[in-house]
């Protein structure tokens, strides 16, 4: 069969890499893809938001299955466009992708169906938000309702910071219309865990747990980024946590969406916080996490295309999802200055070191080819994700940091403490 993947980052490289192992697949396309992805898939120059062009391509090339990697096209309704044209596609429809697309929606859903999450209030009017904040306990969390590249969350320590936050989101419109409405949320503390799952509308199958490192600097300092590294499994995701989430969160979310007439098919990413009072949902995403995917998929035993197909057909209950009893760590190699100002177009060397090395992978987040069509150049803030497996997290971490040295480019930057938290487990 022929498969099309939509997206262009490390997540999509990992998805393409996993699809390439399926015995059912003869050809993979990726729109728009990147230089690394082009080693496994034919990249086609169509943007992820060009829904009609993507559907035209799928129709002309007789694509058997399209997999949407990114949030924006899902929230924008790309799946509805494909389905209206009779094209087979993996991902939630627009009315279900709202689970990620609107924080107010997801909070209201959790409240209505008693899914554990932080207490909150929603505001459309900055004046009312400001009045509420006057007597609210600090610290407090402000969230832009809509998609804001993962940056629309402000943790405010003081009333003054919270007032500035309301101005930034609702009046200065730092994230555009995403800030027309905000959620003001109780501040919680605890460890964060990411849990990815496959969903077919009724059945949910949990993958394994992972943890992201969102801040740019060592010791969780500096600005928020798209993610500087991950590890899987999380040693803090215990059997007790799993039992709680199975009872109160996972199936409850899928059932709630179905009851609301918003049947969810695709990936649900649960961003959890393990608080003293038990696990709480921080956020939902309607797609694979990045860079969580780079540590989760290398540990997955199943043929991923079979799982995608089962989700689309509503027979996920037939699938036995299995993961290796090992661990993986991913260290992101970025360009110094990310996430603010950084150079692009710098030559990358050493990628050949990953060839034929079992248990070591390099997923490309932002790369392109030089004019010679051979030399890899940096083309983004996050450039590569270096993933290594190990029998346990310690071994995987040592392997990943060793492999991170195999590649070089000017201004290469990485965190040196990815997975350090496991020492406390
Ligand atoms: P979100 O996009 O909702 O996951 O928020 C981004 C990050 O902000 C999370 O990964 C947490 O580190 C932090 N965060 C979000 N909500 C809260 C909360 N209620 N209490 C404390 N931290 C939070
Ligand atoms: N790693 C967090 C995300 O994909 O949103």
């Amino acid at each position: 069969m022929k498969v099309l993947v939509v997206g262009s980052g490390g997540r999509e490289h990992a998805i393409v890499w996993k699809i390439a192992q399926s015995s059912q697949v003869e050809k993979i396309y990726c729109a728009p893809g990147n230089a690394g992805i082009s080693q496994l898939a034919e990249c086609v120059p169509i943007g992820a938001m060009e829904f009609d062009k993507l559907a035209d391509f799928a129709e002309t090339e007789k694509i058997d299955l399209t997999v949407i990697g990114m949030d924006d096209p899902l929230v924008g309704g790309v799946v509805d466009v494909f389905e209206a044209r009779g094209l087979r596609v993996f991902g939630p429809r627009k009315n279900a992708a709202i689970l990620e697309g609107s924080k107010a929606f997801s909070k209201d859903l959790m409240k209505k169906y008693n899914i554990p999450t932080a207490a909150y209030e929603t505001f459309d009017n900055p004046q009312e938000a400001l009045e509420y904040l006057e007597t609210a306990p600090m610290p407090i969390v402000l969230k832009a309702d809509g998609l804001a590249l993962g940056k629309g969350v402000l943790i405010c320590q003081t009333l003054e910071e919270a007032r500035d936050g309301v101005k930034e989101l609702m009046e200065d419109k730092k994230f555009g219309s995403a800030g027309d409405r905000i959620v003001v949320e109780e501040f919680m503390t605890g460890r964060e865990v990411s849990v990815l799952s496959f969903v077919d509308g009724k059945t949910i199958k949990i993958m394994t747990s992972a943890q992201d490192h969102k801040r740019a600097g060592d010791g969780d300092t500096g600005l928020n980024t798209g993610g500087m590294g991950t590890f899987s499994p999380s040693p803090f995701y215990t059997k007790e946590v799993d039992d709680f989430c199975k009872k109160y969160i996972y199936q409850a979310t899928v059932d709630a969406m179905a009851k609301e007439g918003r049947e969810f098919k695709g990936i649900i990413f649960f961003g959890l916080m393990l608080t003293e009072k038990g696990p709480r949902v921080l956020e939902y995403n309607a797609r694979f996490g990045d860079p969580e995917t780079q540590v989760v998929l290398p540990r997955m035993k199943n043929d991923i295309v079979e799982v995608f197909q089962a989700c689309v057909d509503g027979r996920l209950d037939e699938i036995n999802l299995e993961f290796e009893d090992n661990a993986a760590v991913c260290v992101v190699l970025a360009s110094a200055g990310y996430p603010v100002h950084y150079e692009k177009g710098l030559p990358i060397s050493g990628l050949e070191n990953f060839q034929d090395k079992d248990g070591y992978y390099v997923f490309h987040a932002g790369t392109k080819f030089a004019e010679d069509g051979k030399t890899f150049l940096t083309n983004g803030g996050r450039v590569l994700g270096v993933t290594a497996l190990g029998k346990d997290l310690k071994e995987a971490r040592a392997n990943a940091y060793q492999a991170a040295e195999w590649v070089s480019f000017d201004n290469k930057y990485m965190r040196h403490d990815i997975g350090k938290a496991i020492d406390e487990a």
Side-chain angles (χ1 to χ4, degrees), residues 183-261:
V183 170
V184 177
E185 197 175 278
E186 166 202 8
F187 175 77
M188 304 187 293
T189 51
R191 282 192 190 278
E192 287 182 42
V193 183
S194 305
V195 176
L196 298 178
S197 67
F198 290 99
V199 183
D200 74 352
K202 308 178 291 289
T203 302
I204 177 165
K205 294 265 161 122
I206 299 305
M207 297 186 223
T208 177
S209 59
Q211 187 178 320
D212 191 5
H213 298 64
K214 285 191 175 140
R215 301 289 205 92
D218 282 5
D220 289 330
T221 54
L223 294 172
N224 255 327
T225 70
M228 293 300 294
T230 38
F231 59 84
S232 170
S234 163
F236 308 103
Y237 190 81
T238 57
K239 166 110 188 16
E240 194 187 353
V241 172
D242 187 55
D243 288 345
F244 181 96
C245 295
K246 285 194 170 125
K247 193 162 172 199
Y248 298 109
I249 296 177
Y250 301 145
Q251 190 68 49
T253 301
V254 175
D255 293 346
M257 289 298 281
K259 279 208 191 94
E260 293 293 307

Side-chain angles (χ1 to χ4, degrees), residues 153-351:
V153 175
L154 307 178
I155 312 252
C156 306
Q157 299 298 333
T158 61
L159 178 58
E160 200 166 358
E161 272 178 48
R163 285 188 190 128
D164 290 347
V166 169
K167 183 166 182 296
E168 211 173 281
L169 297 175
M170 301 190 86
E171 289 169 357
D172 303 345
K173 302 270 180 214
K174 191 164 172 203
F175 300 104
S177 60
D180 287 350
R181 170 179 292 175
I182 64 166
V183 170
V184 177
E185 197 175 278
E186 166 202 8
F187 175 77
M188 304 187 293
T189 51
R191 282 192 190 278
E192 287 182 42
V193 183
S194 305
V195 176
L196 298 178
S197 67
F198 290 99
V199 183
D200 74 352
K202 308 178 291 289
T203 302
I204 177 165
K205 294 265 161 122
I206 299 305
M207 297 186 223
T208 177
S209 59
Q211 187 178 320
D212 191 5
H213 298 64
K214 285 191 175 140
R215 301 289 205 92
D218 282 5
D220 289 330
T221 54
L223 294 172
N224 255 327
T225 70
M228 293 300 294
T230 38
F231 59 84
S232 170
S234 163
F236 308 103
Y237 190 81
T238 57
K239 166 110 188 16
E240 194 187 353
V241 172
D242 187 55
D243 288 345
F244 181 96
C245 295
K246 285 194 170 125
K247 193 162 172 199
Y248 298 109
I249 296 177
Y250 301 145
Q251 190 68 49
T253 301
V254 175
D255 293 346
M257 289 298 281
K259 279 208 191 94
E260 293 293 307
R262 298 173 182 273
E263 182 183 69
F264 193 105
K265 282 189 182 194
I267 303 291
I268 300 182
F269 166 133
F270 297 85
L272 303 175
M273 186 174 267
L274 310 181
T275 73
E276 273 187 350
K277 292 186 208 148
R280 298 284 181 268
V281 178
L282 279 176
E283 64 160 347
Y284 293 115
N285 293 316
R287 35 105 192 144
F288 282 101
D290 195 1
E292 284 88 342
T293 306
Q294 286 99 300
V295 285
V296 168
L297 294 189
R299 300 185 52 228
M300 184 173 153
K301 289 189 190 174
N302 301 67
D303 176 334
I304 199 168
V305 175
E306 275 178 19
V307 186
F308 287 147
Q309 299 278 40
C311 289
V312 176
D313 293 335
R315 46 176 184 76
L316 185 60
D317 56 335
E318 294 169 13
I319 299 280
N320 182 23
L321 208 55
E322 286 187 295
F323 284 80
E324 303 283 352
D325 183 20
N326 61 2
V329 170
C330 171
V331 177
V332 169
L333 306 184
S335 278
Y338 172 71
V340 188
H341 295 292
Y342 46 86
E343 269 184 77
K344 287 186 189 177
L346 305 166
I348 306 169
S349 61
L351 291 166

